[in-house]
Amino acid sequence: MDKETQLKKINKELKIYINEASFISNSCRNRLIKMLGVEFHITLPVEDFANIDVSIDEFGNITMRGDVYKQTSPLTFSEVEEKYQSFQEKAEGLLKRHKNKAFPNSDKNNVINLFIVILLTGLFLVLGIYGIKSLLNGNFYNLFWLLVIVFSFIIPSVRDRFSQAYHYIKRLFKK
């Protein structure tokens, strides 16, 4: 395989590693980028951008978010491949450790959201029953304040929580 196709393969794999690490967490992605910099003896800045594009050229220079971070002495392509292989082993170990967590943070947050949705559904049922009783008793003053409280504080955030819970449950049943 020639240099150019090998370099494209390396950069494509590097993007996959960064995307997987970003899916786990930003700190995992930042740790992965630091590992890449350490392996190539380049100090890379760790920033919290939504998307970070990293690529390696044939001399071992790293381009990140449009900025080129150069080697002090250019590497040969075989040295770049060796350093990338070493980085690849470390990156796979890092990603494997984080993937095997018993209860990842994203799932923990989704379970908490599901619990909140169940509590809010119970609250809506209780408030609905209270509202119907107030309406039947002719106590419109209590009904008015109940509607003001429900529509001003609870309704805007509930719609987002219900949609998140729905998508989480849908994802669980796809697995």
Side-chain angles (χ1 to χ4, degrees):
M1 208 180 318
D2 65 332
K3 280 188 201 180
E4 192 172 314
T5 55
Q6 184 66 18
L7 197 58
K8 283 183 182 180
K9 181 182 175 222
I10 286 173
N11 285 325
K12 188 175 182 180
E13 288 176 357
L14 186 58
K15 286 180 184 181
I16 291 171
Y17 285 132
I18 290 175
N19 285 339
E20 283 184 39
S22 294
F23 184 71
I24 293 170
S25 70
N26 275 346
S27 65
C28 181
R29 179 194 65 191
N30 292 344
R31 231 176 289 140
L32 191 77
I33 291 171
K34 278 184 184 178
M35 284 174 41
L36 180 68
V38 166
E39 193 62 43
F40 281 87
H41 304 293
I42 297 175
T43 304
L44 295 173
V46 178
E47 300 165 343
D48 285 332
F49 289 109
N51 297 320
I52 293 182
D53 190 29
V54 178
S55 62
I56 303 171
D57 69 7
E58 62 185 277
F59 303 112
N61 301 323
I62 297 175
T63 305
M64 187 168 85
R65 293 197 53 84
D67 296 331
V68 178
Y69 300 93
K70 296 190 178 211
Q71 290 282 337
T72 53
S73 60
L75 302 173
T76 64
F77 190 70
S78 61
E79 289 174 326
V80 171
E81 286 179 313
E82 288 173 14
K83 287 185 180 287
Y84 178 73
Q85 290 296 330
S86 175
F87 163 76
Q88 190 177 23
E89 292 169 5
K90 292 175 185 175
E92 285 178 5
L94 175 73
L95 293 175
K96 193 178 289 187
R97 276 195 314 266
H98 284 286
K99 281 183 182 177
N100 292 337
K101 280 186 177 177
F103 207 53
N105 285 340
S106 61
D107 283 348
K108 182 171 47 173
N109 292 340
N110 284 326
V111 169
I112 290 170
N113 185 45
L114 202 54
F115 181 70
I116 291 172
V117 165
I118 291 170
L119 286 176
L120 288 174
T121 303
L123 179 68
F124 275 140
L125 288 174
V126 169
L127 290 176
I129 291 170
Y130 180 73
I132 291 171
K133 283 183 179 179
S134 295
L135 180 67
L136 293 176
N137 290 337
N139 193 350
F140 299 115
Y141 186 73
N142 284 347
L143 182 63
F144 171 74
W145 284 111
L146 176 71
L147 291 174
V148 167
I149 291 170
V150 167
F151 284 115
S152 64
F153 292 110
I154 299 176
I155 295 294
S157 66
V158 170
R159 187 177 336 123
D160 294 335
R161 288 199 179 272
F162 272 99
S163 69
Q164 288 172 357
Y166 170 74
H167 290 299
Y168 174 66
I169 291 171
K170 189 177 174 183
R171 227 179 20 247
L172 279 179
F173 285 118
K174 274 188 179 179
K175 290 182 181 179

